[in-house]
Amino acid sequence: MPDIKQQISELRASALKELDGLSQAKELEEWRIGYLGKKSRLTELLRSLASLPIEERRELGQASNVLKTELEAVFKNKEHQLRCGELVAAGEMMDVTLPGRPFPAGHLHPVSQVLSEISDIFAGMGFQVVEGPEVEWDSYNFDALNIPPEHPSRDNMATFWLDSPPKEPEGWRMLLRTHTSPMQVRTMEQVAPPVRIVVPGRVFRYEATDATHLAMFTQIEGLAVDRGISMADLKGTLFEFARRFFGADRAVRFRTDFFPFVEPGAEMAIECAVCRGGGCRLCGGSGWIEILGAGMVHPRVLERAGIDSTVYSGFAFGIGIERIPMLHYGIDDIRLFYSGDLRFLKQF
Ligand code: DAH
């Protein structure tokens, strides 16, 4: 009896092993005849049980039948598998078990990434993120920011004027905003101090395009107005921004500068990442890279927006966005950002 038991388990092992190696329908048929056919070893084995005593016959009979059922099942499976394989190969069936093709997932544009990173830093310092119109009145873009029509700084901001009738009765003319600063005035008109906002957005200048100039680029504006705001708040806030964005190890330089809508005005630069202040091609030999304009909001700007400049004061700043990834990654042509070339965009 142990002999027959052994035979059953050997038979099972060899049947399964052989089946596993089959790849043709013809081989499969041979396997079926060999293991399940009328003259198969299994049939022979079952027949030989007849001569055994009843007890053993029952036990071994059951074991052989279990094996038979199992072999029939694995045969069916294999047959199905081979048949499917043929159909797939012939293009008549799709193999649903294949893993899917990965769907190309996009990501944020590098400029959007920088914008949201900067917005997050200021939001963490209590600034609200707001957006404003890209089509603007000259009144907000210039006049309310203390840039009267004859002011020379209008020349620095070559403007796209819109071909539409002036707003009556004011006579305001429509343009594509040349900076995000008009949102300072729009916000102060709407909300009473304390005001703390950052304004990410696109700006437009009527300029010839080259490696460092675009007719459309991106800025983020900042404004804080409250009682008792001083230059110390301006410096503290912008130094903290630079520390968080560029890292604590980059030195920051602050110098006076002129913008009509601030007094005093300032410019902030950070230590060049490449030469660390020594002077190189990237920073034009100065060791510093200018990243933003800023200043204390001009009293005339506050008054024009309906805020009492004897009670309130504020600071403002404007950051050019494209420059930041350009300097960070050593990108030498600003046009790459808007060329729609995936070879460029996929690197970020
Ligand atoms: N609006 C200026 C520009 O586009 C940048 C700027 C400078 C914004 C100083 C400010 C500021 O808020 O205080 O060149």
Side-chain angles (χ1 to χ4, degrees):
M1 171 168 144
D3 184 39
I4 297 187
K5 255 193 171 160
Q6 173 110 16
Q7 280 184 43
I8 294 177
S9 89
E10 279 172 9
L11 194 60
R12 178 174 184 279
S14 74
L16 295 181
K17 186 162 176 250
E18 269 178 43
L19 187 74
D20 203 38
L22 301 187
S23 61
Q24 311 276 333
K26 203 174 118 250
E27 297 167 349
L28 182 65
E29 183 54 14
E30 280 162 13
W31 182 93
R32 191 191 64 78
I33 295 169
Y35 285 100
L36 292 165
K38 286 211 183 74
K39 291 183 186 151
S40 67
R41 281 165 65 195
L42 186 61
T43 314
E44 260 169 44
L45 201 133
L46 280 163
R47 232 175 255 139
S48 70
L49 298 181
S51 58
L52 293 175
I54 178 95
E55 277 299 299
E56 292 178 20
R57 203 194 309 161
R58 182 174 298 145
E59 191 190 334
L60 292 171
Q62 203 183 1
S64 322
N65 278 319
V66 166
L67 177 61
K68 191 170 177 215
T69 315
E70 184 186 357
L71 293 186
E72 281 164 358
V74 292
F75 168 77
K76 274 225 157 69
N77 243 336
K78 185 76 179 188
E79 189 182 37
H80 181 69
Q81 236 181 45
L82 291 183
R83 177 79 190 121
C84 288
E86 280 166 17
L87 290 173
V88 169
E92 286 166 28
M93 196 179 118
M94 149 177 107
D95 183 354
V96 295
T97 67
L98 281 176
R101 295 204 179 99
F103 189 78
H107 62 71
L108 287 179
H109 189 277
V111 168
S112 302
Q113 289 179 28
V114 173
L115 269 186
S116 64
E117 229 177 285
I118 294 178
S119 302
D120 279 355
I121 290 175
F122 283 104
M125 295 195 268
F127 285 73
Q128 201 179 337
V129 182
V130 298
E131 286 180 283
E134 292 174 357
V135 173
E136 187 53 283
W137 299 113
D138 59 352
S139 167
Y140 285 108
N141 195 83
F142 294 126
D143 303 72
L145 289 166
N146 196 31
I147 314 175
E150 69 285 357
H151 198 286
S153 87
R154 285 208 187 191
D155 298 343
N156 300 337
M157 293 197 181
T159 306
F160 285 110
W161 293 95
L162 268 74
D163 199 4
S164 61
K167 181 172 172 3
E168 295 305 340
E170 299 91 338
W172 296 349
R173 290 175 64 207
M174 231 182 224
L175 48 73
L176 296 183
R177 67 177 175 192
T178 59
H179 50 175
T180 43
S181 308
M183 268 307 278
Q184 290 186 29
V185 185
R186 283 183 175 273
T187 307
M188 288 188 283
E189 279 182 350
Q190 297 293 321
V191 295
V195 170
R196 266 178 291 180
I197 52 155
V198 283
V199 190
R202 285 183 176 162
V203 302
F204 306 85
R205 304 226 180 139
Y206 184 37
E207 282 187 41
T209 296
D210 63 28
T212 54
H213 294 87
L214 280 179
M216 185 211 80
F217 56 100
T218 315
Q219 293 185 335
I220 190 163
E221 188 81 14
L223 174 73
V225 181
D226 203 352
R227 285 168 199 267
I229 294 229
S230 73
M231 196 80 179
D233 299 304
L234 163 68
K235 282 184 78 174
T237 305
L238 293 180
F239 280 22
E240 181 57 15
F241 156 69
R243 195 182 69 78
R244 292 194 199 177
F245 189 81
F246 296 103
D249 57 332
R250 301 279 286 282
V252 175
R253 185 188 71 182
F254 226 69
R255 296 204 303 196
T256 53
D257 199 348
F258 172 77
F259 302 96
F261 35 91
V262 285
E263 180 58 38
E267 154 238 283
M268 193 168 103
I270 50 156
E271 188 184 37
C272 176
V274 172
C275 63
R276 292 281 162 163
C280 67
R281 210 165 58 93
L282 184 68
C283 56
S286 74
W288 295 97
I289 288 164
E290 286 158 28
I291 54 157
L292 61 84
M296 299 305 291
V297 181
H298 199 292
R300 270 191 221 148
V301 175
L302 293 172
E303 294 292 339
R304 155 66 212 254
I307 290 178
D308 186 345
S309 65
T310 63
V311 178
Y312 293 103
S313 55
F315 67 80
F317 57 88
I319 310 174
I321 298 301
E322 284 82 358
R323 269 173 69 80
I324 291 176
M326 284 178 82
L327 295 166
H328 187 73
Y329 296 113
I331 298 162
D332 58 7
D333 193 331
I334 194 172
R335 291 170 291 196
L336 286 166
F337 286 107
Y338 301 104
S339 63
D341 189 336
L342 288 177
R343 290 170 304 179
F344 173 74
L345 295 173
K346 277 183 173 168
Q347 298 177 58
F348 301 96

